[in-house]
Amino acid sequence: MQKTLRGVGVSHGVAIGQVRHMGTAVLEPTATQIPAEEAERERARAQQAVDAVAADLIARGNLAGGEAQAVLEAQALMAQDPELAADVARRIAVGSSAERAVYDAFAAYRALLASAGEYLAGRVADLDDVRNRIVARLMGVPMPGVPDSDEPYVLLARDLAPADTALLDPALVLGFVTEEGGPTSHSAILARAMGVPAVVALPGATELAEGTTVAVDGSSGEVLVEPSAEQQQELRRVAAERKAALAGSSGPGRTSDGHLVPLLANVGGPADVPAAVAAGAEGVGLFRTEFLFLDDSAKAPSEDTQTAAYRQVLEAFPEGRVVVRVLDAGADKPLDFLTPADEPNPALGVRGLRALLDHPEVLATQLRALARAAEGLPVHLEVMAPMVADRTDARAFADACREAGLHAKFGAMVEIPSAALRARSILAEVEFLSLGTNDLAQYTFAADRQVGALARLQDPWQPALLDLVAAAAEAARAAGKSCGVCGEAASDPLLACVLTGLGVTSLSMGSASIPYVRSMLAKFTLDQCRRAAEAARAADSAEGARAAAQQVLSGE
Ligand code: PEP
Ligand code: MG
C-alpha cells in the first residue's frame, strides 16, 4: 500500500530499494506442546533449516575466503553436529516444536562449552550465532545481525550501535531508516560517513515488511512506501539535479566575500580517508580514534598498531590539518578496558577524558603513538580531549600531551555546558576549542541522543545551543585562538552559515556533507551570516531559529 512516513532526515540524497531488517539478537521461541502426529513434520523442518543454514554459511565462506572462511566453515560444522541433531530429535519426540527443540538443544550444548575452559568458551558466540540463524529461519523472521544479501538494500533497524557498523558492507547499503536515534545518533553519523541517505526517528519503521520497496529522502525526512514508478522517477531526477549542482562547487570553504572557513572531514579511521579527499576536505577536523578499537574492546591496542593506523590518516593530508581526538570511550561507545562496568547512568559517568585520566597509561600510549605517527610528516597535527568539563581537566590533558613529548597543538572539546560557559578559563590551558554539538545538545537539554522520541531537543538549531556556541566562539576570538564545530550541526548547510556568523572558525563533518556546505556558504557574505545568526538566537524554538535564519538569508 502506498503511503508516506515522516522522520528526521539526517543524511542527504535519495535511496530507492527494498528494505532489509537488521535482525534482533536473541529469539526465544515459545514452548508449546506439539501433537505426536506432527513430530515427523517438525523433525523434517528442523533438518531442512539446519541444512539450509550450513549451506548458507559455507557459501558465504567461499565468497569471503581467508580467515573468515575458516570461521564460517567451523560454524557450518557446528550446525550439523550429529549429537545436536540427536538431541533436537529427542526433544521433538516429546512434544517440542522444531524451533523450541533447536533452541533448547543449543542451550544445553552452550552450557557444556561455556564450562569447558577458555578456548571452547570462546566458541560460544559462534554457537549462539548458528542457533539464532536456525531459529530465525524456522520462525520466518529476519536473520540476526546485518542482513545477508547479495543485492543492495535499504537497511532498517531500531537503531545502530557503533559496533554494528564494522560489519556493514558499504557497497550494499543504499540508505538507512531507523526507528530510534536522533539527528546526532550513531546511525546518523554513520550514514553521513558512508554518504548514504538516511532518515531516523521514524515511528513504526521496523514494522515495514522485509522486501517492501521504499524511497528514502534523506533531505526531507520522508520515506515513501511502495512509491509509484512516476514518483521514483521524479525523486531520482531531483536527486540527480542536486548532485550536478554540487559537482560544480570546489575549493576552500569561504563566504561570498572571501571569509575563509576551512571545511574539514570527520573520520573514524583510514577507511574514511578516500571519501574525505574526494570531497575536497581541507583536512580532518575530528578523527574519532575509538572507532578503530570497537571491534575488539577487550584490550587496549598496542602502541605500534595505533601508530600505523594514525600514520595512514596523517599521510593523506600532507600539508593539511588533522585533528585527532583521544579515545572517547563510554556511554554509547564502551570499551571494556576503559569503561567501568555497570554504571547507573553511563552518559553521566566516567567517559571520555575522565576515563583516560583514570587510566593514564592508556592516554600516554595513545599520545606517544600519535607523536611517532607524525614523525617526519609536514602535517599540522592537533590533538584534543573529549568531554572536558573545566580548567582542571584541560590542564591535566595539556600536561599529559607535554609529558608524551607531543609536538602538536592541543585542544579541548566543548561538549559540556560548563565548558562553553567557562571557555575563557579552559583556553588558558589549551590552544584551540572544538564544539561537539552532539553531546553539547544532549547535556544542555538533558535529552539522551539515542532516544528518537527526544529528537526535538537534540535539534542543533535550539537557540540555547546557539547561545553556548556563541559563548565559546567569542571566548576563543578574544584569546586569539580557534574554535571549530565538529558535531553534526556543521553538516547542515544553513546552520553552517549561522555557525560562521556566530564566529566559529572551521566546520568539520561527514565527507558527504562537504559539497552541500561549501556551496551554501559561498552564497552569502560574512555579514549576512552574522545577521542570520542574530536572528536565529533571537528565536524561541529550533523551528523559529531555522525560519528566521532562512528569512534573513533569502532576503525576505
Ligand atoms: C559530539 O559530541 O558532537 C562529537 C563530535 O562527538 P561524538 O559524536 O563522537 O560523541
Ligand atoms: Mg561527543
Side-chain angles (χ1 to χ4, degrees), residues 414-485:
V414 176
E415 303 183 276
I416 305 177
S418 60
L421 293 169
R422 304 303 301 258
R424 196 162 71 95
S425 80
I426 288 175
L427 282 160
E429 305 291 343
V430 295
E431 293 159 86
F432 68 93
L433 298 179
S434 181
L435 283 144
T437 47
N438 308 335
D439 277 314
L440 191 56
Q442 159 163 268
Y443 297 120
T444 301
F445 295 98
D448 189 330
R449 59 195 273 194
Q450 299 304 110
V451 177
L454 301 178
R456 180 182 81 80
L457 295 171
Q458 279 292 336
D459 190 330
W461 280 93
Q462 284 279 4
L465 187 72
L466 301 180
D467 285 351
L468 291 173
V469 171
E474 171 51 28
R477 193 202 54 76
K481 297 182 175 179
S482 63
C483 176
V485 171

Side-chain angles (χ1 to χ4, degrees), residues 184 186 189 266 286 288 290-291 325 328 332-333 351 413 415 435-440 449 486-488:
T184 61
H186 281 286
I189 294 171
N266 290 356
L286 169 62
R288 289 184 164 100
E290 64 281 357
F291 276 28
R325 174 173 75 186
D328 181 21
D332 52 342
K333 293 171 288 192
R351 59 164 296 198
M413 287 190 74
E415 303 183 276
L435 283 144
T437 47
N438 308 335
D439 277 314
L440 191 56
R449 59 195 273 194
C486 66
E488 297 305 297

Side-chain angles (χ1 to χ4, degrees), residues 128-372:
D128 284 349
D129 182 56
V130 173
R131 176 202 63 186
N132 289 345
R133 284 172 183 281
I134 302 173
V135 172
R137 186 171 284 269
L138 284 164
M139 292 171 76
V141 298
M143 289 291 171
V146 172
D148 294 338
S149 176
D150 301 331
E151 296 293 320
Y153 57 85
V154 172
L155 183 66
L156 209 72
R158 184 159 296 284
D159 199 3
L160 289 168
D164 298 328
T165 65
L167 304 166
L168 287 174
D169 178 351
L172 291 178
V173 182
L174 297 168
F176 291 173
V177 178
T178 65
E179 187 154 333
E180 285 290 336
T184 61
S185 65
H186 281 286
S187 304
I189 294 171
L190 176 68
R192 290 191 197 108
M194 288 171 66
V196 297
V199 172
V200 300
L202 187 87
T206 50
E207 282 155 30
L208 286 173
E210 185 88 353
T212 308
T213 300
V214 293
V216 181
D217 186 337
S219 304
S220 69
E222 283 184 355
V223 175
L224 268 57
V225 180
E226 302 291 5
S228 65
E230 295 78 57
Q231 283 175 315
Q232 294 191 26
Q233 210 178 356
E234 176 59 12
L235 276 167
R236 286 205 170 97
R237 190 189 62 74
V238 173
E241 245 178 44
R242 264 191 237 148
K243 214 167 170 181
L246 292 172
S249 101
S250 62
R254 60 169 82 213
T255 57
S256 63
D257 56 340
H259 171 71
L260 292 175
V261 187
L263 302 180
L264 310 166
N266 290 356
V267 302
D272 295 335
V273 166
V277 173
E282 296 167 62
V284 168
L286 169 62
F287 179 178
R288 289 184 164 100
T289 54
E290 64 281 357
F291 276 28
L292 291 173
F293 311 121
L294 285 172
D295 49 350
D296 182 9
S297 84
K299 57 179 190 314
S302 74
E303 190 176 312
D304 286 349
T305 310
Q306 294 191 46
T307 305
Y310 302 149
R311 185 138 183 127
Q312 278 187 58
V313 174
L314 298 182
E315 277 173 346
F317 295 94
E319 304 279 326
R321 179 168 152 207
V322 176
V323 185
V324 181
R325 174 173 75 186
V326 292
L327 290 174
D328 181 21
D332 52 342
K333 293 171 288 192
L335 290 177
D336 294 346
F337 60 92
L338 274 179
T339 312
D342 303 328
E343 285 189 300
N345 194 343
L348 301 182
V350 183
R351 59 164 296 198
L353 179 65
R354 304 161 185 188
L356 289 171
L357 295 179
D358 279 356
H359 295 84
E361 71 296 347
V362 174
L363 178 58
T365 304
Q366 185 169 28
L367 294 173
R368 275 198 310 273
L370 282 165
R372 280 175 53 200

